[in-house]
Amino acid sequence: MTADIVTIQTVQGEARADSRDLARALGNQHKNLLSLIDDYLSDFQALGAVAFETRPLPGGGKPERFAFLAEDHCYFLLTLVRNSEQVVPLKRRLVQAFRAAREQAVRPAPLALPTDPLELLALSLQGLQQHREQITAIEHRLNTAPVRVSSELRARLHAGCQAFGKVHPRSFPGAYRAFKEAFGFAGAPLAAYDDLPQHRFDEAMTWLDVQTRTFRAQRPLLEQAGD
């Protein structure tokens, strides 16, 4: 008997086990297992609807009737069966199989990122903007004045702004203005670049790096257009 003899499949939007697989795992004939389910059907239904299906056999003959049992159905079924060398391992495998099905159901789908560098950059900037708006909203609700960036970090912030100013189309005034507008508080721009709240330092350095690289890449195109 293999460890994966009972597979979990999605039926009616729910993880379920096939009664035919359960019968094989228990070493019983399927008709006997199905009879046991029918005998206690009202108890099974109290745990949720049992999904019965009837399908024709490949070689013809009487169609086969079977059931798809949800997790609670399976555990109740096994309480009706005497423990044995087959039943105990089956209980363990069912617990593991249903747990794996739950984890798979809640696992987020992989994020499909654009392959175009400009689209990827736009997506990054959009994420930074959303993060900035969330922080601003929190600060506004708390109605607290943000703690300014520390003196130890001010030099790094100044260097980042300077690098941005060297590639900005409007030089340093344009770069500083863009920075202060991007990191303003409650809808108003910063009065000075070093009024930046300390908890936003990492975000600001990332923003400056992205902006600097973007304008540096665009500068040759702008210079050609101005010729």
Side-chain angles (χ1 to χ4, degrees):
M1 182 172 58
T2 60
D4 60 348
I5 194 169
V6 177
T7 58
I8 304 302
Q9 43 192 312
T10 301
V11 179
Q12 298 177 355
E14 187 177 10
R16 293 179 179 257
D18 191 319
S19 60
R20 296 168 295 184
D21 288 345
L22 292 170
R24 284 191 293 267
L26 290 169
N28 292 335
Q29 293 188 18
H30 180 246
K31 65 178 183 179
N32 295 336
L33 183 68
L34 202 59
S35 177
L36 183 62
I37 294 174
D38 287 333
D39 289 343
Y40 292 90
L41 185 57
S42 60
D43 295 295
F44 279 96
Q45 300 283 23
L47 302 173
V50 178
F52 288 100
E53 287 195 20
T54 302
R55 295 179 186 174
L57 294 173
K62 184 179 179 180
E64 182 182 29
R65 178 173 173 263
F66 57 96
F68 286 111
L69 302 180
E71 184 173 6
D72 288 344
H73 296 145
C74 291
Y75 299 150
F76 177 64
L77 172 65
L78 293 178
T79 65
L80 303 176
V81 180
R82 181 179 300 175
N83 281 342
S84 67
E85 293 182 357
Q86 289 179 305
V87 173
V88 174
L90 176 59
K91 290 180 179 180
R92 172 180 53 79
R93 292 201 305 277
L94 280 172
V95 170
Q96 293 171 328
F98 276 109
R99 180 177 61 191
R102 286 194 299 271
E103 292 174 351
Q104 183 66 30
V106 301
R107 187 174 300 159
L111 179 62
L113 295 176
T115 56
D116 184 86
L118 292 179
E119 291 183 9
L120 185 59
L121 178 61
L123 184 64
S124 300
L125 293 175
Q126 181 182 5
L128 287 173
Q129 176 65 19
Q130 291 175 348
H131 181 67
R132 182 184 70 83
E133 292 173 353
Q134 291 171 354
I135 294 295
T136 299
I138 293 173
E139 291 173 345
H140 183 68
R141 288 198 302 269
L142 293 177
N143 195 26
T144 58
V147 178
R148 291 176 57 184
V149 66
S150 66
S151 57
E152 290 81 7
L153 301 178
R154 196 169 300 151
R156 291 174 56 190
L157 184 62
H158 179 263
C161 289
Q162 288 287 303
F164 182 28
K166 290 179 181 178
V167 297
H168 195 279
R170 297 184 181 178
S171 191
F172 296 100
Y176 277 94
R177 184 181 301 109
F179 177 82
K180 288 185 288 186
E181 289 177 352
F183 290 90
F185 173 69
L190 296 174
Y193 80 95
D194 55 358
D195 283 338
L196 178 77
Q198 184 157 316
H199 68 271
R200 301 189 67 186
F201 175 78
D202 290 339
E203 177 193 356
M205 294 303 295
T206 300
W207 185 89
L208 285 168
D209 179 63
V210 171
Q211 294 289 333
T212 301
R213 287 189 287 109
T214 301
F215 280 103
R216 184 180 290 124
Q218 294 176 349
R219 188 153 190 167
L221 298 177
L222 296 175
E223 291 174 350
Q224 292 175 10
D227 291 342

